[in-house]
């Protein structure tokens, strides 16, 4: 196994040479959030001359058991991709086709989904080989989840330090983005050409990051997949009181009587408290117990209001959903109602046209995946846009591989130019008031 080394401020990082690209697995981007750093905003790494072997995916962030049987079979069925769980989990992975600081390649930073409860940056369906073949660097990240990343409780604010409550998982994402911005040039990337993209909770994260002043000018473009939009968007941001009520109940169930008690609990006890809370939350009709909180630090207002008033990044966007996505009523779908995410994506594009004269590129993934009757389910497009069909259990046909190639091209072209179009792919028009074009992604 050949080794390629990169010198950065945190030391020498050694990755794995894969002939056409180099893979760096498990690079730390912040100090381990353990001990006194639990429930704290991420802290930057110190400069170092140490050597780091980036040859294994590092632990996923602590989370509850894997998702239901459907998603377990779909994305978590290969034990070769299993990793342990740990609170020491703030790591990222880089696939790069070039190691020259002169290469200046576009960078794609992916934020995984999982309802802010689970997931990791090293899942079976994620891979950067197809992107590298189109001269795009892929970065995937871990960020703190569930109670470790999104708990809101008054005790956490006792220190008076900004950002130590509710939105810690988003601050992890921003810390990873900042690390990439400051270090990716050594891996052949252009820090001024970073596109962030994500699906489901990762999509909500992307919309949060483009709506936050904390991300500054580090984001060049964004792709929102099944979870974002405007006017009928899936999540708008919780108030501190709403988030605090959830956090206080979880802490009550944990038995902790003080911040010291809470800090002393082991990870399993905290997850057990969350597990006790979840049936209560669902019984009240709640959806996700965690998400962005309007704390005045990460977010100054509701996502809808920020979008309405133009307090989002003026950058290129792609946005879309799948045919049988979340919140799609199949009976209404048959009558022509494609669901709130489909509508929210169009509304997002029209609002960006109104704000910045920059309509977005909207897609609708409708391919019924072969092998069962799940259709174009929530997250079904991931196999295609990462070019990893060969890892799936499904009996994909030649047209699926063609669709995947087309989607990888669209995604990579957007990351290069802010426009998905290419000579070797069907034309994709932006969605604008005069022509509400939505690109159908399916086998021809």
């Amino acid at each position: 196994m050949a080794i390629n080394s990169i010198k950065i401020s945190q030391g020498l990082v050694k990755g794995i040479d894969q002939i056409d690209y180099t893979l760096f697995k498990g690079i730390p981007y912040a100090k381990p959030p353990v001990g006194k750093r639990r429930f704290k905003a991420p802290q930057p790494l110190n400069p170092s001359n140490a050597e780091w072997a980036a040859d294994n995916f590092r632990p996923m962030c602590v989370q509850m058991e894997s998702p239901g049987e459907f998603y377990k079979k779909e994305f978590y069925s290969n034990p070769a991709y299993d990793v342990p769980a740990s609170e020491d989990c703030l790591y990222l992975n880089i696939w790069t086709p070039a190691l020259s600081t002169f290469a200046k390649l576009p960078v794609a930073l992916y934020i995984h989904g999982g309802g802010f409860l689970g997931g990791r940056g090293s899942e079976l369906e994620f891979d950067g080989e197809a992107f590298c073949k189109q001269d795009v660097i892929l970065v995937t990240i871990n960020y703190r989840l569930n109670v470790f990343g999104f708990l809101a409780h008054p005790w956490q604010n006792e220190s008076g330090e900004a950002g130590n409550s509710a939105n810690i998982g988003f601050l992890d994402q921003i810390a990873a983005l900042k690390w990439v911005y400051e270090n990716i040039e050594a891996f052949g990337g252009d820090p001024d050409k970073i596109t962030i993209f994500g699906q489901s909770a990762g999509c909500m994260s992307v919309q949060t990051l483009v709506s936050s002043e904390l991300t500054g000018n580090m984001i060049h473009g964004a792709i929102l997949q099944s979870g974002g939009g405007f006017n009928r968007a899936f999540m708008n941001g919780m108030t501190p009181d709403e988030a605090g009520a959830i956090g206080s109940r979880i802490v009550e169930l944990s038995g902790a009587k003080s911040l010291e008690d809470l800090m002393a609990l082991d990870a399993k006890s905290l997850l057990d408290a969350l597990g006790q809370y979840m049936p209560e939350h669902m019984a009240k009709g709640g959806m996700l117990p965690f998400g962005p909180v309007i704390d005045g630090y990460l977010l100054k207002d509701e996502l809808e209001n920020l979008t309405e008033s133009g307090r989002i990044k003026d950058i290129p966007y792609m946005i879309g959903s799948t045919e049988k996505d979340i919140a799609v009523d199949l009976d209404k779908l048959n009558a022509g109602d494609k669901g709130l995410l489909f509508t929210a994506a169009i509304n997002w594009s029209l609002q960006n046209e109104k704000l910045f004269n920059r309509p977005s590129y909207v897609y609708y993934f409708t391919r019924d995946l072969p092998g069962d009757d799940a259709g174009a389910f929530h997250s079904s497009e991931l196999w295609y846009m990462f070019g990893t069909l060969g890892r799936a259990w499904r009996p994909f046909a030649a047209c699926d591989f063609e669709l995947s190639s087309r989607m990888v091209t669209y995604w990579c072209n957007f990351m290069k130019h802010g426009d998905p179009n290419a000579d070797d792919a069907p034309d994709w028009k932006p969605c604008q008031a005069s022509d509400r074009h939505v690109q159908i992604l399916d086998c021809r």
Side-chain angles (χ1 to χ4, degrees):
M1 180 175 65
I3 302 294
N4 282 325
S5 299
I6 294 293
K7 182 70 173 71
I8 57 176
S9 62
Q10 286 84 41
L12 190 67
V13 182
K14 296 184 176 182
I16 307 167
D17 184 1
Q18 302 282 25
I19 301 177
D20 293 327
Y21 62 97
T22 303
L23 172 55
F24 295 86
K25 297 180 178 180
I27 301 175
Y29 67 82
K31 291 180 179 178
V34 299
K36 293 182 179 180
R37 289 192 286 269
R38 177 192 270 183
F39 303 130
K40 297 282 189 179
Q43 297 181 19
L45 296 163
N46 297 326
S48 170
N49 292 318
E51 294 186 2
W52 183 267
D55 55 3
N56 284 288
F57 290 124
R58 302 293 165 167
M60 61 184 176
C61 293
V62 176
Q63 54 197 267
M64 300 174 74
E65 292 184 4
S66 60
E69 288 303 312
F70 178 83
Y71 281 108
K72 185 175 181 180
K73 178 181 179 181
E74 191 69 22
F75 297 129
Y76 303 97
S77 58
N78 188 335
Y81 289 83
D82 288 346
V83 292
S86 172
E87 289 188 64
D88 179 3
C89 63
L90 300 186
Y91 299 92
L92 54 79
N93 314 297
I94 301 174
W95 290 257
T96 177
L99 298 177
S100 167
T101 57
F102 301 104
K104 295 288 188 180
L105 298 182
V107 182
L109 189 155
Y110 183 75
I111 304 173
H112 70 75
F116 303 111
L117 294 168
R120 56 186 182 267
S122 57
E123 294 179 11
L124 175 64
E125 71 274 24
F126 306 154
D127 195 273
E129 181 178 3
F131 284 29
C132 287
K133 288 180 178 177
Q134 299 209 27
D135 289 328
V136 173
I137 296 172
L138 175 67
V139 181
T140 65
I141 67 172
N142 292 343
Y143 57 94
R144 279 174 284 180
L145 302 163
N146 52 72
V147 292
F148 298 93
F150 301 97
L151 184 71
H153 195 281
W155 292 342
Q156 295 165 270
N157 296 320
E158 290 177 359
S159 67
E161 299 172 21
N164 282 335
S165 181
N167 288 320
I168 291 172
F170 296 114
L171 299 183
D172 288 345
Q173 297 168 8
I174 294 173
L177 172 63
K178 184 177 180 182
W179 188 97
V180 170
Y181 186 79
E182 293 176 347
N183 292 282
I184 202 64
E185 191 171 7
F187 297 84
D190 184 347
D192 294 321
K193 213 163 202 178
I194 298 173
T195 297
I196 62 172
F197 66 134
Q199 186 267 342
S200 192
C203 176
M204 293 178 237
S205 298
V206 169
Q207 184 161 348
T208 300
L209 267 55
V210 301
S211 304
S212 175
E213 297 174 3
L214 298 183
T215 53
N217 63 350
M218 293 186 289
I219 302 172
H220 175 80
I223 303 176
L224 298 92
Q225 301 179 210
S226 296
F230 176 62
N231 191 11
R232 293 188 73 190
F234 187 64
M235 181 169 281
N236 196 23
M238 291 186 282
T239 67
D241 286 345
E242 290 170 335
I246 293 171
S248 294
R249 179 56 179 153
I250 294 171
V251 169
E252 179 184 2
L253 291 169
S254 78
K257 303 300 182 184
S258 66
L259 179 61
E260 291 72 23
D261 287 350
L262 194 64
M263 296 287 284
L265 287 175
D266 60 27
K268 182 179 182 303
S269 297
L270 286 166
L271 289 181
D272 286 346
L274 174 60
Q276 293 177 59
Y277 170 73
M278 287 300 291
E280 295 182 11
H281 186 76
M282 302 305 290
K284 295 176 182 177
M287 298 186 72
L288 298 178
F290 304 112
V293 177
I294 307 157
D295 61 354
Y297 179 66
L298 175 77
L299 287 180
K300 299 295 179 67
D301 203 341
E302 294 181 353
L303 293 177
E304 291 279 289
N305 291 339
L306 292 170
T307 306
E308 175 72 31
S309 60
R311 288 175 286 169
I312 58 174
K313 309 294 183 194
D314 178 9
I315 56 174
Y317 292 100
M318 271 174 55
I319 183 170
S321 60
T322 68
E323 186 175 41
K324 294 184 179 177
D325 221 318
I326 49 176
V328 170
D329 184 311
L330 296 185
D331 291 332
K332 292 181 179 179
L333 178 64
N334 293 332
D337 183 345
K338 297 179 174 65
L340 68 86
L341 289 180
F342 179 88
T343 303
I346 294 174
N347 291 341
W348 175 270
S349 183
L350 299 182
Q351 180 66 5
N352 274 272
E353 180 184 24
K354 176 182 175 181
L355 290 170
F356 310 122
N357 194 29
R358 195 200 290 262
S360 306
Y361 293 91
V362 179
Y363 73 84
Y364 187 48
F365 181 88
T366 60
R367 169 61 173 162
D368 289 336
L369 272 65
D372 59 19
D373 59 358
F377 58 89
H378 180 66
S379 72
S380 57
E381 83 277 22
L382 295 181
W383 293 118
Y384 294 79
M385 38 77 63
F386 278 111
T388 50
L389 297 183
R391 294 181 179 177
W393 64 269
R394 296 177 178 278
F396 288 115
C399 78
D400 291 292
F401 287 91
E402 187 280 328
L403 174 59
S404 175
S405 177
R406 190 177 357 134
M407 288 176 61
V408 170
T409 296
Y410 280 143
W411 262 244
C412 287
N413 275 355
F414 179 84
M415 292 156 181
K416 293 175 183 177
H417 311 298
D419 182 331
N421 286 289
D423 292 339
D424 55 350
D427 185 48
W428 184 344
K429 297 180 292 185
C431 177
Q432 48 196 338
S434 61
D435 179 7
R436 300 189 178 194
H437 176 78
V438 174
Q439 193 79 354
I440 305 299
L441 300 177
D442 204 334
C443 287
R444 290 196 181 97

